[in-house]
Amino acid sequence: VSGIIADVTGDATITDCSVEGKLYTGDNYAGGLVGVVSTASSKLTVEHCAVNAEIYAANHSAAGIIAGDTAEEHVESDLSTFPTIEAKNVFVTGNFEAVNRVGSFMGYNNCVNVSFENCVSLATLKYSKATENGAFLAVDNKSKIYLENCIAFSDLHAFYNLSITESVQTVE
C-alpha cells in the first residue's frame, strides 16, 4: 500500500508531489510514496516530495518514503544487481506504525542501494516490537546506504537497526 506506487518492478521517477491522508494495510508494507521495490536492478528516483500521513501496516514495514524492498533475484556479491533507491529533498511527517520494521524514510531493506539526500522527518514512529526499527531506516541486511544532510526527529537513537545485519556493504 502506498500513496503513489504500490510496487516498483522496473524504473520509476516520482517528482514534485505530495501525499496526505491515511494509508493502511492489514498485512505488510505501507509506504507514504512507494510500497515496495520488488525487482532486482530496478531504479526508483524520488525528488521534491512531501508526505503528511497516518501510515499503518498491521504486521511489518511502515515508512514515510518507501516501506521496503522484496527483490529476491539479486546476486549478493554484486551490488549492481541490487535495486537502487535515490531520494532527494523529501519531507515526511505524520504517524508511521507497524509491529516492527518502522523507519522515517524506509522500512525493511534487504539488498538495495539506498541514497537519501536533504531529507527531513518530523514523523512519530510507533511499533509494538522494539527491535528492527530505526530513525531513518528500519532493518538492513546487505545494502549500500548513503545519507547526506538528513535529519529525523524521532525517539529512536540509531539511524538504522543493526540487530540482524549480516554484512552491510557500506554506510556513509
Side-chain angles (χ1 to χ4, degrees):
V1 171
S2 75
I4 302 213
I5 301 173
D7 185 0
V8 174
T9 60
D11 292 349
T13 301
I14 301 171
T15 59
D16 303 316
C17 66
S18 65
V19 171
E20 288 193 48
K22 295 181 180 182
L23 301 168
Y24 170 85
T25 178
D27 198 9
N28 304 321
Y29 301 106
L33 298 172
V34 175
V36 297
V37 173
S38 65
T39 306
S41 302
S42 294
K43 182 175 183 182
L44 169 65
T45 303
V46 177
E47 293 187 68
H48 308 289
C49 294
V51 173
N52 179 14
E54 304 294 318
I55 299 171
Y56 177 80
N59 194 6
H60 71 75
S61 300
I65 298 175
I66 179 170
D69 81 279
T70 59
E72 297 293 331
E73 64 279 355
H74 62 275
V75 177
E76 286 189 22
S77 60
D78 184 0
L79 287 173
S80 70
T81 66
F82 291 12
T84 299
I85 298 167
E86 297 176 354
K88 295 179 182 177
N89 305 314
V90 179
F91 176 78
V92 298
T93 189
N95 295 307
F96 310 158
E97 182 176 1
V99 172
N100 64 337
R101 299 179 178 172
V102 179
S104 292
F105 303 143
M106 186 170 184
Y108 180 72
N109 57 93
N110 181 38
C111 295
V112 64
N113 296 311
V114 179
S115 173
F116 292 110
E117 295 181 42
N118 304 320
C119 295
V120 176
S121 171
L122 299 178
T124 300
L125 308 180
K126 298 178 182 179
Y127 44 85
S128 56
K129 184 177 176 185
T131 59
E132 302 177 1
N133 304 292
F136 291 116
L137 298 103
V139 177
D140 177 73
N141 282 338
K142 301 165 192 74
S143 302
K144 179 180 179 184
I145 301 167
Y146 177 79
L147 298 162
E148 181 178 333
N149 298 324
C150 294
I151 190 163
F153 294 96
S154 156
D155 59 347
L156 294 168
H157 301 286
F159 73 90
Y160 74 95
N161 183 292
L162 287 170
S163 66
I164 66 165
T165 298
E166 294 174 21
S167 59
V168 173
Q169 299 292 336
T170 58
V171 176
E172 299 178 16

